[in-house]
Amino acid sequence: MPITLEAVAFVRNARKDLADDDWGEVVSDIVLAEGVDPDSLTGLEDFSHVEVLFFFDRVSPGEVECRSRHPRGNVAWPRVGIFAQRGKNRPNRLGSCIARVVERSGKTLRVRGLDAIDGTPVVDLKPVMREFLPRGDVRQPSWSVELMREYWTRD
C-alpha cells in the first residue's frame, strides 16, 4: 500500500557530513515548509523536548537494507536485523530523534542534539511527554551501548 508524506519542515544546521558520532551539541533550526502555518508550532516551546521524525533523503533506494547486518559494518558486533538497529539505510528511510527544545520563533523551532544533517526533510514533530516514554527499565544489548558511546559527545 503506497503512503504519501509531505515534508512539514526542513533541518538547517552546520552539519553537512553523514558521520555517525558527536551529535549532542549540534544546534539545528527546524524551519517550517512553505504553506505550513507557523501556528502549528504554538505551545511546543513549553516542552523541554520534541520528537522529530525525518526522512533520510540522501540514502538512495539501492542502499536500503532489509536483512541483518553488522551495525556500522563492525564484525565484532553481532549481525542483527535492520529493525534491531537505528541505521539510516532502513526500508522506508525514516529517522526519529528526541531533541531538546531551545526556542521557537515564527516558522522556526531551534533544537539541540538532533542527529539530522542540513536540508533533511522533517515529516512530523511531536512533543515529548513523560507518559509516552518507556514505562519500567529499558533493556539493550552491550554492543549497542558500545556503538552509542560517542554518538552524542566525543570523550
Side-chain angles (χ1 to χ4, degrees):
M1 165 178 62
I3 298 171
T4 303
L5 298 174
E6 297 288 329
V8 297
F10 293 90
V11 174
R12 300 290 177 230
N13 62 31
R15 190 79 179 249
K16 312 290 188 230
D17 62 78
L18 294 171
D20 286 322
D21 291 320
D22 203 21
W23 290 99
E25 294 304 312
V26 173
V27 174
S28 300
D29 287 340
I30 299 171
V31 182
L32 293 179
E34 199 65 37
V36 178
D37 194 310
D39 277 353
S40 62
L41 295 176
T42 300
L44 198 48
E45 69 276 10
D46 295 334
F47 291 86
S48 64
H49 292 81
V50 61
E51 184 174 9
V52 183
L53 304 172
F54 52 93
F55 183 66
F56 290 116
D57 63 318
R58 287 82 76 287
V59 174
S60 71
E63 295 174 286
V64 167
E65 300 277 347
C66 294
R67 306 184 79 195
S68 65
R69 66 177 187 168
H70 296 284
R72 293 192 186 176
N74 185 340
V75 296
W77 296 331
R79 290 181 70 87
V80 294
I82 193 65
F83 297 130
Q85 52 189 292
R86 295 184 62 101
K88 63 186 173 296
N89 300 58
R90 327 183 61 66
N92 283 319
R93 299 180 286 165
L94 292 177
S96 165
C97 182
I98 293 175
R100 177 167 292 283
V101 173
V102 175
E103 65 182 345
R104 178 186 70 90
S105 177
K107 294 181 64 145
T108 302
L109 181 69
R110 179 162 288 168
V111 300
R112 182 180 307 279
L114 173 62
D115 60 347
I117 63 174
D118 186 60
T120 297
V122 173
V123 296
D124 205 357
L125 298 165
K126 295 173 181 267
V128 174
M129 299 177 183
R130 200 172 288 115
E131 294 80 5
F132 282 97
L133 295 174
R135 292 163 297 286
D137 294 335
V138 173
R139 182 183 74 242
Q140 66 188 69
S142 60
W143 66 263
S144 68
V145 174
E146 186 178 339
L147 179 145
M148 295 300 295
R149 184 177 43 235
E150 293 182 345
Y151 194 81
W152 296 112
T153 184
R154 294 235 184 248
D155 291 337

